[in-house]
Amino acid sequence: MKYNHVQFILLAEFDIDKGSSLTYQYPAPTGTDPHVLAELMLPDGAHQWEDDWTIFFLNQKVPESGKNFECGGEPQKQNPNHQPLLYVLNRVCTKHDPGAPRGAMVKAMAICTKHQYLHVYKPVLLLALENYFQNPSQDILASLFDAVNSMDLRTMPAFSLNERLILRASENKDMFEEKFVEMEEINNPDFKDPRELEQVSGDEMDETALKKKKRNTYIDLSSGQKKEMTTTMSNKNKDRHFFETKVIYEGHKLPIRVPLTVHPEEVGDFSLIKLITTFSQSSASYQTIHPHLHTSGPQTHPIILLINALLTQKKIIFLGHGLPSGEVANYVLAACAMGSGSGAVLRGFTERAFPYTNLTNVDELRKFPGFIAGVTNPTFEEHPKWWDVLCNIRTGKVTVSGEISMSGVGGGTFVGKEKIGNDPMTKPGSTTSHPQRLENIADNDFMSEVMLAIQSHYGENVIRAKIQEYIQRFVRLAALYEEETRGSTNIGITSSNTKSANELLGNGLYFPDTGPNSTKERELLANRGRIEGWIGTISYQFYQEDFQSYLKSRSIINIDVARQIMKLKVCREMSSIEAEGIFKAFLESVTTDDQVIELLANLPQNQGGLFVLASGLYHPSKSVREFTVQLFNRIKQHKAGARFVQDLNHFHKLAYERLSRTSSSTDWSLRSISNFAH
C-alpha cells in the first residue's frame, strides 16, 4: 500500500558550459521554475565540498502584511487553493573524475515532502544519489519515490499538542505506551498485546470482570479498584518518543525513527544550543538602536535582539561565507523554532523562511514583509537595504542595518512617543517608546539561566523548553498590555472567557508584587516596544486565530491553569482561603481524561512535574491537604498521570501515601475510581 509521504524527487546537475540545470522532476513538475530549483539544489561553492545537505521550501507565498490590523480585528484567512508548504531535503555531491570536465562531476538529488522530520530520509537519499552516479537514469528516482512512499506509518499514534508537550518533557520511555498498543490493535486484528498475556489468572477474575476489562487495565471486582497490566521487556526497550519503522530500498532495510514530539515550525534536525552559543560569544555592539529590538538598550543580548527581530517580523539574514549551505540552513531552522517558542506557541515563521537562498532570489525574497534567510554569498552584507538584522555565523556578530525603518510594523503604534534628540538609544530625531532606558531584568535573568543550562551540558529539549516558556510569557504579557492600554484583548484568558466565580483566582499573567515600581509595571514598560512591534505581524494574526480556537477546544474552562500554577510557584504570602480556592478549583475542574492531560501539560516533568502541587500535602489547612490528596488520586487513575505520581521524590511520595491512608478523602477517592475509569 502506498502512502503519500513524498510528493517529488528532483535531480540537478552542474555543467561547466551550461551551468546548473534541473535534469528530472519525478513523477511530475513541481510548479516551481526549474532554473530556481537548480540554483537552490546546487548552492554557491558546492564544488568545494564532497558532500553537503541543503534544505529549502517550496510553495511559499508572499503573505499579506496585515496592515491596519489592530486588537479586535478579524484574522486573515489563508487561501484554500494555496498549495501546502513542502520541505525539501537536498544532497549535493562532488565526485572527482579525471575524465570529467575540470576533473569533477557535481550532482544533487532532493526529496520534497510534507513531513517536518525530513532528516529521517538522509540514509535513503544518500544511497539513491550514489546509485544515480553509477546509473544516471530516471529509474533511480522512480525507485526512490516508491521506496519512501511505502514507509508504513499506519500504527504511528497521532498526539495532541498537550500530549506532545507531556511527552517531550518526560524522560519516561514508555509514556503513552497504551496509544501504541491501541494503534497496533486497530491496524492488525491478529495483534496480541503482550501485556494481556500476563493477565491475572481466571480464578482472580471472573467472566463479568473480563467483560469490564479495559485496554491495558482491568477492574478487580473484589476491591472495586482499577489495576494495570504489567508490561513486557520487549515494549520497555522501546523509546516511545519515536516511532520505529523502515524504508526498504534496493534490498536495503533502512531503519527509520520518526520523532513524535515535533511541534509546528520545527523542521529538520537543527540545534538551538548551537544557535545560542554562536551568537553569545561576541559582545553586543550596535550602531543603530531600534525600539522593537533593543529591550535593554545598547546592552541588549544578541540572542534577545534576534528573538525580538523574529517576533516583530524583521528581515533577517544568516550569513555563512565559506560554510556548507546545510550548516547555514540549520541556523535558519533553529531561528524559526526559537521565534515560535519551540514551535508550540506561535506560527508564521517557516512560511517566511528561506533556509538557503542566493542572489538570484533577492527580488523574490524582498517581497516578503519579513523573512528569515540563510546565505553564503558575502555580497548580502554589503547591501544593508536588503535586510534589517544580519547574523554573521563566522564572527558571531549581530548587526542592525542603518537602513532599518523606525516605524511600527503592520499598523502597530508606539505608546507615549517622545523626542529623544541626543539620547544614546536612538539616532537624532527618531522616537522611542521607553526613554527611561530601563534594564530588562527578566531578559537578563532568562539569558543567564539559558547559558548556565548550556554550560552545565543540559540537552536540547531543556533549552527548547526554556525558549517555549519565555515566548509563552511574552504572549501573556502582550495580552495584559492590550488589556491595560486598550481595555480588551483577544489573545489572553480574561474573566469573560472563564466561568469561575472565585474572584481570588484571577486570570492572566501573575505577578508576586503590586503597586508603583512593581514587577508588573517594570515588565510592561521594558517590553512595550517589542509588544507594539509584534501587534499586527503575521504571527500575531495567527496567534489571535489560534487562541480563539483554543478557547473553543480546551478542556478546562473554569480556571486559568497557568496562572494558578505560577501563583503556587512564586506567591510569597498566600492566605489559606486562596490556597483552598486554588486546590478546590483544580479538583472541580479536572475530572475527565482530557482535563488531566491539559493539567499535566502545564506541569512539565523536566520542570518538576507535580512538585508544585505537592506543596498542598504539607499545607496547614486540612482542606488543602484533602483537596491535594483527592486531586493526586484522580491524576493517578490516568495512565500518564500515574507516571507523574510515580516520579514524585521519595519525600513527597511518603507524604501522599500517609495522607491517603489517614485522610477522610481516601474513602471518597476509592468510591470515585470506578466512575472515573469509565
Side-chain angles (χ1 to χ4, degrees):
M1 182 179 293
K2 301 296 182 182
Y3 300 93
N4 193 25
H5 304 315
V6 170
Q7 280 63 43
F8 305 100
I9 307 291
L10 310 176
L11 193 288
E13 300 176 86
F14 181 80
D15 184 274
I16 192 62
D17 298 318
K18 301 178 182 178
S20 301
S21 61
L22 191 68
T23 307
Y24 294 117
Q25 301 181 70
Y26 185 88
T30 65
T32 300
D33 184 338
H35 178 68
V36 171
L37 289 174
E39 291 288 338
L40 291 173
M41 292 177 67
L42 296 162
D44 295 334
H47 62 280
Q48 300 177 33
W49 314 99
E50 289 189 4
D51 199 64
D52 190 13
W53 295 91
T54 306
I55 292 175
F56 57 93
F57 302 156
L58 295 183
N59 300 332
Q60 288 163 296
K61 180 184 178 184
V62 178
E64 297 183 24
S65 61
K67 293 181 180 179
N68 302 320
F69 186 90
E70 297 291 342
C71 176
E74 288 295 325
Q76 297 177 0
K77 302 296 183 182
Q78 292 291 302
N79 182 353
N81 297 320
H82 178 51
Q83 294 294 317
L85 196 64
L86 290 182
Y87 310 105
V88 184
L89 175 68
N90 176 67
R91 184 196 177 210
V92 55
C93 185
T94 301
K95 296 279 189 182
H96 296 284
D97 182 356
R102 299 222 176 163
M105 296 184 293
V106 183
K107 303 181 189 294
M109 185 178 289
I111 285 178
C112 310
T113 176
K114 60 184 179 181
H115 295 318
Q116 296 162 253
Y117 45 83
L118 72 171
H119 58 282
V120 303
Y121 296 117
K122 279 189 174 183
V124 66
L125 187 55
L126 188 148
L127 289 179
L129 185 53
E130 292 298 320
N131 286 345
Y132 186 85
F133 269 101
Q134 297 175 17
N135 177 27
S137 163
Q138 183 173 277
D139 293 342
I140 301 297
L141 281 69
S143 177
L144 174 61
F145 185 82
D146 290 341
V148 292
N149 278 308
S150 296
M151 184 173 69
D152 192 350
L153 299 183
R154 287 176 299 170
T155 58
M156 185 173 77
F159 292 118
S160 67
L161 172 60
N162 285 330
E163 289 169 335
R164 288 199 306 273
L165 290 172
I166 292 171
L167 186 58
R168 174 177 284 194
S170 174
E171 293 184 0
N172 287 323
K173 291 186 176 182
D174 63 344
M175 183 67 77
F176 297 121
E177 171 74 25
E178 62 279 4
K179 287 186 170 289
F180 289 84
V181 173
E182 181 179 357
M183 291 302 294
E184 290 280 3
E185 291 177 346
I186 291 173
N187 289 279
N188 183 4
D190 298 324
F191 173 77
K192 299 297 183 183
D193 182 356
R195 288 168 290 190
E196 296 191 8
L197 301 178
E198 300 181 9
Q199 293 179 33
V200 293
S201 60
D203 58 349
E204 295 179 16
M205 197 168 167
D206 62 21
E207 185 177 353
T208 305
L210 285 170
K211 290 181 179 179
K212 290 186 177 181
K213 180 176 64 64
K214 299 174 71 69
R215 183 172 292 114
N216 310 325
T217 63
Y218 69 92
I219 305 299
D220 186 342
L221 294 185
S222 63
S223 64
Q225 295 189 43
K226 184 177 180 182
K227 294 187 176 180
E228 299 181 5
M229 304 295 182
T230 57
T231 305
T232 63
M233 289 302 295
S234 61
N235 277 337
K236 284 184 176 179
N237 290 334
K238 291 189 176 181
D239 185 351
R240 294 313 195 179
H241 293 78
F242 300 89
F243 177 77
E244 297 180 5
T245 184
K246 62 181 178 293
V247 168
I248 301 176
Y249 174 71
E250 299 293 330
H252 299 282
K253 292 183 179 180
L254 305 173
I256 302 291
R257 299 181 83 216
V258 177
L260 297 178
T261 59
V262 174
H263 296 312
E265 307 290 321
E266 290 183 311
V267 180
D269 191 23
F270 59 85
S271 170
L272 267 180
I273 292 176
K274 188 173 183 179
L275 170 68
I276 293 169
T277 53
T278 297
F279 296 104
S280 296
Q281 294 172 0
S282 61
S283 58
S285 176
Y286 309 112
Q287 295 181 348
T288 303
I289 305 299
H290 194 287
H292 291 177
L293 304 178
H294 296 84
T295 43
S296 290
Q299 304 307 314
T300 301
H301 192 283
I303 293 299
I304 296 296
L305 186 140
L306 177 56
I307 291 174
N308 294 342
L310 290 161
L311 289 172
T312 58
Q313 201 170 289
K314 298 297 183 280
K315 294 173 286 188
I316 303 169
I317 289 284
F318 284 89
L319 172 61
H321 177 51
L323 296 176
S325 58
E327 184 174 341
V328 176
N330 281 332
Y331 280 93
V332 174
L333 299 176
C336 290
M338 186 163 67
S340 64
S342 297
V345 184
L346 302 176
R347 61 187 174 98
F349 296 89
T350 52
E351 291 185 356
R352 298 182 290 109
F354 299 80
Y356 170 75
T357 193
N358 52 34
L359 288 174
T360 62
N361 205 33
V362 168
D363 291 339
E364 185 67 20
L365 193 68
R366 296 180 68 189
K367 293 178 183 177
F368 284 71
F371 56 76
I372 311 105
V375 302
T376 57
N377 194 319
T379 303
F380 281 88
E381 194 168 17
E382 301 167 4
H383 293 271
K385 287 186 177 181
W386 293 354
W387 45 267
D388 297 323
V389 175
L390 186 137
C391 305
N392 191 311
I393 297 171
R394 278 205 172 276
T395 64
K397 183 179 179 181
V398 177
T399 303
V400 178
S401 171
E403 305 291 333
I404 188 173
S405 171
M406 299 299 280
S407 63
V409 176
T413 56
F414 297 137
V415 177
K417 286 186 178 180
E418 294 186 24
K419 293 257 183 177
I420 302 305
N422 295 326
D423 188 292
M425 278 294 293
T426 61
K427 296 191 295 187
S430 66
T431 62
T432 183
S433 61
H434 34 338
Q436 292 90 341
R437 299 285 66 80
L438 289 179
E439 179 185 17
N440 195 317
I441 298 174
D443 281 357
N444 295 339
D445 289 347
F446 167 71
M447 285 311 308
S448 296
E449 184 181 337
V450 168
M451 295 309 298
L452 179 60
I454 292 175
Q455 291 162 10
S456 301
H457 305 291
Y458 281 88
E460 181 77 9
N461 276 350
V462 172
I463 304 305
R464 294 192 190 192
K466 292 183 182 299
I467 294 291
Q468 177 189 325
E469 186 178 24
Y470 178 84
I471 298 297
Q472 185 65 73
R473 180 176 177 82
F474 166 77
V475 170
R476 290 173 70 85
L477 189 69
L480 174 62
Y481 175 84
E482 288 188 331
E483 280 197 283
E484 295 279 328
T485 61
R486 307 179 182 197
S488 65
T489 182
N490 284 335
I491 61 170
I493 298 289
T494 64
S495 57
S496 63
N497 51 42
T498 56
K499 297 183 179 180
S500 174
N502 190 336
E503 295 182 359
L504 280 175
L505 298 180
N507 298 289
L509 200 57
Y510 175 77
F511 295 92
D513 57 343
T514 57
N517 200 34
S518 64
T519 306
K520 172 182 172 181
E521 287 191 359
R522 292 198 304 270
E523 283 203 43
L524 285 174
L525 184 58
N527 285 274
R528 183 164 54 184
R530 65 174 166 190
I531 290 174
E532 287 287 348
W534 181 55
I535 293 173
T537 63
I538 293 165
S539 69
Y540 174 88
Q541 294 177 44
F542 279 144
Y543 187 79
Q544 189 177 59
E545 180 181 330
D546 293 344
F547 187 77
Q548 296 307 309
S549 297
Y550 157 74
L551 291 178
K552 296 175 183 177
S553 63
R554 61 184 169 154
S555 299
I556 302 176
I557 61 176
N558 293 330
I559 56 173
D560 183 342
V561 175
R563 177 184 174 88
Q564 310 318 317
I565 291 174
M566 179 56 66
K567 196 183 297 184
L568 291 173
K569 284 182 177 179
V570 304
C571 185
R572 297 165 186 166
E573 296 181 4
M574 182 183 295
S575 68
S576 292
I577 294 177
E578 189 169 5
E580 289 174 9
I582 291 175
F583 281 93
K584 183 180 180 181
F586 277 138
L587 188 61
E588 292 175 343
S589 302
V590 181
T591 60
T592 68
D593 282 3
D594 288 342
Q595 288 167 343
V596 170
I597 286 293
E598 189 169 323
L599 174 63
L600 297 180
N602 282 273
L603 296 164
Q605 286 182 294
N606 58 10
Q607 297 180 38
L610 296 179
F611 178 84
V612 64
L613 297 182
S615 62
L617 298 171
Y618 315 99
H619 200 277
S621 167
K622 181 180 179 181
S623 296
V624 171
R625 296 196 301 271
E626 290 187 349
F627 289 147
T628 306
V629 171
Q630 292 177 32
L631 179 61
F632 275 31
N633 286 340
R634 189 166 295 172
I635 291 172
K636 192 176 180 180
Q637 299 315 305
H638 190 282
K639 293 286 292 183
R643 294 179 175 96
F644 273 67
V645 174
Q646 183 63 33
D647 283 348
L648 284 169
N649 67 37
H650 184 64
F651 188 69
H652 292 329
K653 278 184 186 177
L654 287 177
Y656 169 51
E657 291 169 1
R658 177 178 58 81
L659 288 173
S660 295
R661 290 193 300 267
T662 61
S663 173
S664 60
S665 65
T666 305
D667 293 336
W668 179 92
S669 310
L670 290 175
R671 290 195 302 270
S672 304
I673 289 175
S674 181
N675 291 333
F676 180 67
H678 293 288

